[in-house]
Structure formats: structure tokens, C-alpha cells
Amino acid sequence: MKIDLFITCLNDALFPTTGQATVALLERLGHEVRFNAAQTCCGQMHLNTGYRKDALSLVRKFVTDFQGAEVIVLPSGSCAAMLRELAPDAAHWEGDEELRREVLDLSGRIYELSEFLVKKLGVEDVGAAYPHRVTYHPTCHAMRSLHVGDAPLRLLRNVRGLTLLELPHADECCGFGGTFSIKNPDVSTAMLADKARHILETGAEACTAGDNSCLMHIGGGLHRLRSGARTVHLAEILASTEERVWA
């Protein structure tokens, strides 16, 4: 299958190894991965902050960049939810029905990485090895907007050497929420403290998730606690083998 990778601007700027791991994983499974270097941002940050027109200009660019794609895979539930769920509504609110139709036409080809592997390909064992104690944080957009369900957990349970530890109160938000953490720092910090405490209760060496935005927030909290626990994107665990460890 020919797969177009939308890496997201956060990963491009701060977490390039996630994109590299995603490509390595998909190619190991026998697929051709294409990367359109013209891609930029999905517009979620702009939309959440109230800059709807700026957001839609980025959505329009996304449509132009990926309109010929067979499948578009994102290592981000947050950005996938923006493009599949929020962008069509935003276009409708602005009265741009043509853009709304174009986004809806693409939406059926947009997948978050774990749902693509489990729900589209029917693959739960990707041949990964990661000999560590790991707990999983289900990010809000992946859980509530995309309804990826237990797809990430199915994948993690099949990683050789990995001990999967249940996260208490897993369905609680980590407190990031993009601009929410900037506009409401006290609330965000309190939510992060709860999440960090629950992670440490598991005794995990690492916390994983499908969004580096949340992992950046959680990782900062764990680092300030000098806990020794770290964060690692799901793609990097799934790309890891006995020969190469991505994280």
C-alpha cells in the first residue's frame, strides 16, 4: 500500500525521531511511505485559539498537498481529530462548503497510526521488541474524538519483552490541551500533577502515548520530579527491534 505520512509540525520541529520511527515501522510491514515536503500544519492551534480563517487556510493547504493520497497516516491523534472532525465543521461555520466537501472526501483516508495498524490493516503484532516496563496514557483526542479504543494496547501487548502496566485513572486528561495549558496554567499544572503521580504509582520506566504534545507536557512534569521515568511515543516502541532501539 502507498501511504502518505503527515508528520505534524510539532513532530517536525521537536520530535523528528517519531517520524523516522513511523516510516521504519510501516516500511518493515511492507508498505511504501511517501513524504510530501510541502506539508505544514493542520491548523488546530489556530482554530483552538479563535483564528478560524488562518486555520482554514492551513486546512486548504492540507487538502491541496494530499488530495491524491490513497491513505494518510499521522502519528498524532490530536491532528487526525482536527482534520477528520473539526476541520469540516470549521469550514461550514465560515460558509466554505466547497472546502468542507473536500475535507470530508479526504477524511475517510486519514488515520491515526494505531487505528491504521489495527483497524485498517488488521495487524496487532508488528514484530517489535522493547524490554521495559511501560504504561499507556490514552490521549483525549484519540480516545474521545477518534475512538481508537484499545488499538494501542493491542499493539503494546504484542511487543516482545515489554511489560504493560495499567495506568490508574487513565481516562483523565494530562492537562496539556495545547493553548489551554498556557491560558490556564494553574489548572493545567494540577492536572499534570495528578497524571504524573498515577504514572509513578505503576512503577513504569516509561509512559507512552500516540501524541507527542501530551508526552511533552507529561515528560516535563516527570523530569521536574526527577522521577527517572520518561516518555516515548508509541511509534518509537513499535519501531524498536532487538537490533535497533528507537528510544
Side-chain angles (χ1 to χ4, degrees), residues 7-20 176 212-217 233 236:
I7 190 57
T8 81
C9 55
L10 182 76
N11 286 331
D12 179 58
L14 299 175
F15 303 101
T17 55
T18 295
Q20 294 166 358
F176 180 60
N212 269 325
S213 52
C214 301
L215 290 174
M216 176 177 65
H217 188 60
H233 193 282
E236 297 177 52

Side-chain angles (χ1 to χ4, degrees), residues 117-134:
L117 294 170
V118 174
K119 298 183 178 182
K120 177 68 174 178
L121 298 182
V123 175
E124 297 185 12
D125 187 342
V126 298
Y130 194 77
H132 298 283
R133 301 187 310 278
V134 177

Side-chain angles (χ1 to χ4, degrees), residues 65-122:
D65 291 340
F66 291 93
Q67 60 184 344
E70 178 183 351
V71 170
I72 306 162
V73 171
L74 296 73
S76 168
S78 178
C79 297
M82 165 63 188
L83 293 165
R84 267 174 33 189
E85 304 293 326
L86 297 178
D89 286 343
H92 176 68
W93 297 332
E94 285 297 308
D96 194 335
E97 292 302 318
E98 181 180 358
L99 178 59
R100 179 176 181 272
R101 287 191 296 271
E102 290 174 338
V103 177
L104 286 173
D105 179 63
L106 268 183
S107 64
R109 290 175 266 162
I110 296 172
Y111 293 89
E112 181 270 338
L113 178 62
S114 71
E115 70 170 347
F116 176 71
L117 294 170
V118 174
K119 298 183 178 182
K120 177 68 174 178
L121 298 182

